């Protein structure tokens, strides 16, 4: 295998992994604070659609990203209100968010673009790097095959790790997710932290959606997200609820797909479906304790009721 | 004299409780339609003053699209049937305190099993149909048993496992259909099932078939099982308070697996009858069948009551079947899915009611 092919394969892996990394980081923040977020899929859908719409009306992909992130955050706010204040079952609320956003995106394609199924092609985020870098052997080629989202995703993994494990805020988030009552007695506002984390998770998932639409093909098509939100959820679990773990899991899952595309050029390819199930099977095995050991935040999924025993 | 009064009181109480139980689902439906009308107005370009004409449009079209003529009525029936199955499947899991998001996957497994068993030639129709339903039952049951077992023995959350298994089942189906001799080469679907395996349709050319009766029978059976038998009592006890149930000598692990198997089996039968009655073959899957997720909505709206599932399946089935008529009249069919999603959101928040009643109580205490 020549090094050029290897580099293409790696760059491809990173590009496929990027939306997953964003959404998985979102999932980590939400789950660390004790709110299960099944709605990642829906938030990615809304992020993907609104980033396209933002780029469509403003003509600027950067504004598109802002639209996508805000839309994801607003949707997450609904999930937050439902599951934190109204104490709805978080899984049900997430399911409703998924159904709602799929329907809303399709409705808005009809309403705002006047057609069904998919939007117009809009301006994607251009990725121009100076020749000085492109000309570096191997690394230059590798970098030129990425996009800004990839770089941002990797930076955000470091930032998330730092925030979660090295700052007081991160300590509070983890305390709220592990033992909300103890955190409350110490004067931490459990609801505030949870709201913050859920909204942040929606914004990150929205960014993941934007990375999927503006970063790859700059349009939104129905069914485009295709379960990536759930793969991101799998990456959260397989990565043991840690940013670097999620990065690794996303890369592993994405490598499956990238290798699949790559292997189709060779004669010894396995069926696509085999690559498709890898993330899901690995996650189930990991959860069952066969591969590695994963333990989630203890209070995850439980609404916190002030003053309850 | 006293006895008569007691009896009267009892029946009054029953009526009161039923009304109370029905009040919130009705409230959710009304609110979601109220919200949906705004989307209709937006789609049609109406002004705010035309709210009631938009409301009228929506209702009129849903009725016309659901029951307007015999053809659409039969479409509605064929839409309602799988929803009863998936709704009851979800309800059984909810009653045990489990969340079976995997109904969609179990439905796929039922479809696959039916498509494979359905192609066996030369069987007596009665035997063949029984076989096809059993195949769906077993396939769905096994697919439900896996997350149930993992939950009971290893303690992994069934929600994650069932989500993962939904996608695994989709990949499995596509693999079998596209790459093995179970599929027709170059057609991306399985061969049509034998005539002997087809469920009787009410009229030719419409998917409505006798499995609607089976669906209703299953709903009634599950109601009987849950409320009139020891098995059902144990399942519900685990759902209401697992620790209390265990203290009372009920095996939580056994009942968890049992409920998931039951739930999966019902979903599997739903998939099998959908193939035997409506589709007659299985095409490769681009997305999960929507009946699985709609089933969650059906069960939630019915408050996990199997008999109630029939009514709420009727509502959602009507919405589904009216989507075409809506689209022909310039209202995007997504309105239907929006209504469904909003209903779930509101049903999920039945805490609102509790919140206000608790607030009242608190105020009463502080005022004293």
């Amino acid at each position: 295998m020549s090094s050029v092919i290897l580099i293409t394969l790696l760059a491809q892996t990173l590009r496929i992994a990027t939306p997953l990394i964003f959404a998985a980081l979102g999932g980590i923040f939400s789950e660390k604070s004790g709110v299960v977020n099944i709605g990642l899929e829906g938030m990615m859908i809304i992020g993907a659609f609104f980033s396209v719409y933002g780029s469509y009306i403003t003509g600027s992909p950067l504004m598109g990203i802002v639209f996508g992130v805000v839309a994801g955050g607003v949707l997450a706010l609904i999930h937050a209100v439902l599951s934190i204040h109204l104490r709805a079952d978080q899984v049900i609320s997430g399911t409703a968010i998924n159904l709602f956003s799929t329907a809303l995106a399709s409705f808005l394609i009809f309403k705002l673009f006047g057609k069904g199924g998919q939007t117009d092609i809009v301006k994607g985020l251009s990725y121009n790097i100076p020749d000085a870098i492109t000309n570096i052997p191997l690394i230059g080629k590798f970098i030129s095959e990425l996009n800004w989202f990839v770089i941002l995703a990797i930076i955000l993994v470091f930032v998330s790790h730092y925030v979660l494990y090295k700052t007081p805020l991160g300590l509070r988030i983890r305390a709220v997710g592990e033992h909300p009552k103890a955190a409350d007695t110490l004067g931490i506002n459990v609801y505030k932290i949870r709201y913050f984390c859920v909204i942040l998770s929606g914004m990150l998932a929205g960014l993941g959606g934007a990375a999927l639409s503006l970063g790859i093909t700059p349009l939104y098509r129905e069914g485009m997200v295709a379960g990536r939100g759930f793969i991101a959820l799998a990456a959260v679990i397989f990565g043991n609820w840690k940013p670097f773990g999620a990065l690794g899991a996303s890369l592993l899952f994405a490598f499956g797909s990238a290798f699949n595309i790559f292997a189709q050029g060779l004669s010894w390819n396995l069926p696509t479906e085999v690559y498709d199930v890898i993330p899901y099977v690995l996650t189930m095995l990991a959860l069952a304790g066969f591969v590695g050991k994963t333990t989630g935040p203890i209070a995850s999924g439980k609404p916190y009721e002030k003053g309850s025993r | 004299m006293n006895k008569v009064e007691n009896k009267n009181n009892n029946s009054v109480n029953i009526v009161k409780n039923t009304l109370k139980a029905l009040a919130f689902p009705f409230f959710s439906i009304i609110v979601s339609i109220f919200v949906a009308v705004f989307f209709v107005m937006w789609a049609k370009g109406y002004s705010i003053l035309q709210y009631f004409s938009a409301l009228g449009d929506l209702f009129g079209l849903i009725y016309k699209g659901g029951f307007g003529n015999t053809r659409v009525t039969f479409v509605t029936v064929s839409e309602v049937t799988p929803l009863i199955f998936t709704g009851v499947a979800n309800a059984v899991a909810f009653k045990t305190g489990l969340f079976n998001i995997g109904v969609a996957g179990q439905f796929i497994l039922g479809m696959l099993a039916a498509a494979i068993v359905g192609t066996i030639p030369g069987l007596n129709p009665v035997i063949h149909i029984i076989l096809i339903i059993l195949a769906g039952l077993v396939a769905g049951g096994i697919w439900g048993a896996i997350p149930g077992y993992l939950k009971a023995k290893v303690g992994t959350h069934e929600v994650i496992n069932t989500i993962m298994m939904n996608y695994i089942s989709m990949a499995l189906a596509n693999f079998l259909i596209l790459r093995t001799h179970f599929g027709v080469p170059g057609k991306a679907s399985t061969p049509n099932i034998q005539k002997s395996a087809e469920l009787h349709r009410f009229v030719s050319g419409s998917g409505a078939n006798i499995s609607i009766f089976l669906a209703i029978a299953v709903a009634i059976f599950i109601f009987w099982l849950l409320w009139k038998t020891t098995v059902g009592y144990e399942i519900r006890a685990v759902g209401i308070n697992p620790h209390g149930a265990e203290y009372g000598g009920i095996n939580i692990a056994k009942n968890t697996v049992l409920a998931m198997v039951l739930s999966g089996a019902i979903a599997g039968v739903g998939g099998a009858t959908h193939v035997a009655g409506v589709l007659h073959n299985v095409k490769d899957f681009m997305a999960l069948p929507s009946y699985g997720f709609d089933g969650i909505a059906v069960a939630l709206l019915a408050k996990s009551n199997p008999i109630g599932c029939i009514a709420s399946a009727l509502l959602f089935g009507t919405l589904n079947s009216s989507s075409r008529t809506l689209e022909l009249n310039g209202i995007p069919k997504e309105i239907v899915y929006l209504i469904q999603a909003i209903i779930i959101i509101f049903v999920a928040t039945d805490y609102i009611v509790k919140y206000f009643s608790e607030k009242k109580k608190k105020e009463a205490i502080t005022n004293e």
Side-chain angles (χ1 to χ4, degrees):
Chain A
M1 203 187 299
S2 77
S3 57
V4 176
I5 295 176
L6 195 66
I7 279 172
T8 316
L9 184 64
L10 285 178
Q12 174 91 325
T13 302
L14 273 168
R15 283 203 306 268
I16 297 176
T18 300
L20 301 178
I21 296 170
F22 285 127
L25 287 177
I28 288 173
F29 273 104
S30 173
E31 298 240 342
K32 277 281 179 203
S33 78
V35 180
V36 169
N37 195 349
I38 303 271
L40 283 178
E41 172 91 2
M43 294 163 195
M44 281 183 88
I45 290 174
I46 284 298
F49 174 81
F50 273 96
S51 56
V52 167
Y53 180 62
S55 174
Y56 174 72
I57 54 167
T58 61
S60 145
L62 277 178
M63 277 312 288
I65 296 172
V66 172
F67 268 63
V69 169
V70 170
V74 169
L75 194 64
L77 179 65
I78 300 177
H79 182 57
V81 173
L82 288 173
S83 51
I84 300 168
H85 260 117
L86 299 178
R87 286 170 224 170
D89 186 310
Q90 295 167 7
V91 175
I92 295 175
S93 160
T95 310
I97 296 272
N98 287 339
L99 292 178
F100 180 74
S101 33
T102 316
L104 185 68
S106 304
F107 179 85
L108 291 176
I109 294 176
F110 172 85
K111 185 63 205 168
L112 302 175
F113 289 86
K115 44 170 115 177
Q118 71 175 50
T119 66
D120 299 330
I121 294 179
V122 297
K123 215 168 138 201
L125 193 62
S126 57
Y127 179 67
N128 294 320
I129 40 169
D131 284 345
I133 296 177
T134 340
N135 290 337
I136 307 170
L138 294 182
I139 297 171
K141 175 154 173 50
F142 178 66
I143 291 176
S144 70
E145 285 194 15
L146 304 177
N147 59 46
W148 288 121
F149 286 106
V150 177
I151 294 161
L152 182 61
I154 290 167
I155 294 170
L156 280 182
V157 170
F158 282 91
V159 172
S160 304
H161 178 84
Y162 179 79
V163 169
L164 275 174
Y165 294 100
K166 309 281 174 201
T167 64
L169 176 67
L171 186 64
R172 284 180 191 160
I173 291 172
R174 286 180 291 136
V176 163
E178 293 288 339
H179 201 316
K181 206 186 298 166
D184 200 2
T185 14
L186 291 175
I188 298 171
N189 190 334
V190 175
Y191 288 174
K192 215 163 105 187
I193 296 274
R194 286 193 171 176
Y195 267 98
F196 169 76
C197 285
V198 174
I199 292 169
L200 185 65
S201 90
M203 292 168 79
L204 284 166
L207 188 57
L212 193 61
S213 57
L214 294 182
I216 299 173
T217 18
L219 59 81
Y220 174 79
R221 198 173 54 241
E222 269 177 31
M224 180 184 198
V225 177
R228 280 189 182 80
F230 291 119
I231 299 188
L233 195 66
V236 172
I237 297 161
F238 194 65
N240 206 2
W241 286 268
K242 291 191 171 95
F244 283 108
L247 172 69
S250 303
L251 286 175
L252 179 68
F253 297 166
F255 183 75
S257 325
F259 190 73
N260 180 17
I261 298 167
F262 164 78
Q264 272 166 5
L266 302 166
S267 51
W268 45 279
N269 58 329
L270 285 162
T272 330
E273 289 78 17
V274 174
Y275 295 102
D276 287 349
V277 299
I278 290 172
Y280 309 117
V281 172
L282 278 181
T283 305
M284 285 181 71
L285 290 176
L287 267 177
F290 295 122
V291 183
K293 192 172 174 293
T294 59
T295 29
I298 294 164
S300 183
K302 298 188 195 91
Y304 176 64
E305 214 171 322
K306 251 191 170 147
S308 73
R309 267 172 248 234
Chain B
M1 185 65 200
N2 233 342
K3 256 188 187 166
V4 177
E5 248 175 39
N6 256 345
K7 228 182 195 172
N8 271 343
N9 254 344
N10 263 346
S11 52
V12 167
N13 271 341
I14 289 171
V15 172
K16 250 189 186 168
N17 286 337
T18 326
L19 282 181
K20 243 188 197 168
L22 287 178
F24 199 74
F26 267 111
F27 172 73
S28 328
I29 295 170
I30 289 167
V31 172
S32 60
I33 288 176
F34 176 79
V35 176
V37 170
F38 285 104
F39 283 100
V40 173
M41 284 162 53
W42 192 23
K44 284 232 162 195
Y46 283 175
S47 81
I48 189 82
L49 296 172
Q50 285 163 300
Y51 185 87
F52 286 100
S53 82
L55 183 72
D57 271 11
L58 184 63
F59 264 105
L61 288 173
I62 287 175
Y63 181 77
K64 198 175 142 207
F67 301 103
N69 57 44
T70 349
R71 196 184 56 78
V72 293
T73 310
F74 278 122
V75 174
T76 306
V77 171
S78 71
E79 283 287 331
V80 170
T81 312
L83 288 180
I84 297 179
F85 282 113
T86 55
V88 174
N90 275 302
V92 171
F94 280 138
K95 273 289 165 206
T96 329
L98 298 168
F99 200 143
N100 185 5
I101 294 202
V103 166
Q106 292 139 14
F107 194 84
I108 291 182
L109 264 278
M111 289 172 79
L112 269 183
I116 292 168
V117 172
T119 47
I120 302 171
L123 284 176
N124 176 302
V126 177
I127 295 174
H128 208 168
I129 282 167
I130 293 175
L131 267 184
I132 221 172
I133 290 171
L134 278 180
L137 187 100
V138 171
I142 292 173
W143 213 242
I146 299 169
Y149 179 83
L150 286 172
K151 165 96 177 179
K153 292 291 167 196
V154 193
T156 48
H157 206 294
E158 78 282 0
V159 168
I160 305 294
N161 278 333
T162 49
I163 289 175
M164 300 300 139
M165 287 182 70
N166 274 343
Y167 287 95
I168 294 175
S169 58
M170 208 160 89
L172 177 70
N174 288 348
F175 176 74
L176 289 179
I177 293 165
L178 298 174
R179 290 175 221 286
T180 66
H181 65 273
F182 290 117
V184 184
K187 256 191 82 183
S189 93
T190 61
N192 272 353
I193 55 171
Q194 299 285 325
K195 275 273 172 283
S196 57
E198 289 177 9
L199 285 166
H200 177 71
R201 289 178 170 181
F202 297 128
V203 285
S204 60
S206 149
N209 62 76
I210 51 169
S211 60
I212 180 89
F213 299 120
L214 182 66
I216 293 171
V218 166
I220 294 170
F221 170 75
I222 294 296
F223 181 82
W224 173 80
L225 184 82
L226 284 177
W227 272 275
K228 304 288 171 197
T229 67
T230 322
V231 178
Y233 173 77
E234 291 194 351
I235 285 180
R236 284 186 300 127
V238 171
I240 292 165
N241 183 348
H243 301 297
E246 194 168 34
Y247 187 68
I250 294 172
N251 187 338
I252 298 181
K254 190 192 100 187
N255 279 291
T256 303
V257 178
L258 179 68
M260 285 303 286
V261 169
L262 209 55
S263 176
I266 297 166
V269 173
T273 57
H274 195 55
V275 168
V278 182
L279 301 174
H280 294 170
N281 63 34
V282 182
K283 295 190 173 52
D284 64 328
F285 291 90
M286 297 291 174
L288 291 166
S290 62
Y291 296 121
F293 288 102
D294 290 356
I296 297 173
V298 168
L300 286 174
L301 188 62
K303 297 238 153 195
S304 310
N305 182 322
I307 305 275
C309 283
I310 301 174
S312 63
L314 184 65
L315 174 77
F316 286 111
T318 311
L319 285 174
N320 279 349
S321 73
S322 66
S323 60
R324 267 201 57 189
T325 312
L326 288 173
E327 192 118 273
L328 288 176
N329 287 279
I331 299 175
K333 64 171 188 291
E334 283 74 26
I335 283 284
V336 165
Y337 309 124
L338 282 174
I339 295 180
Q340 292 177 352
I342 300 167
I343 290 179
I344 304 186
I345 291 178
F346 276 94
V347 173
T349 53
D350 57 358
Y351 178 77
I352 296 177
V353 178
K354 256 187 265 167
Y355 178 79
F356 283 112
S357 64
E358 265 171 28
K359 206 173 179 186
K360 240 189 214 166
K361 258 188 229 161
K362 258 187 207 162
E363 273 167 13
I365 292 169
T366 42
N367 285 344
E368 262 171 19

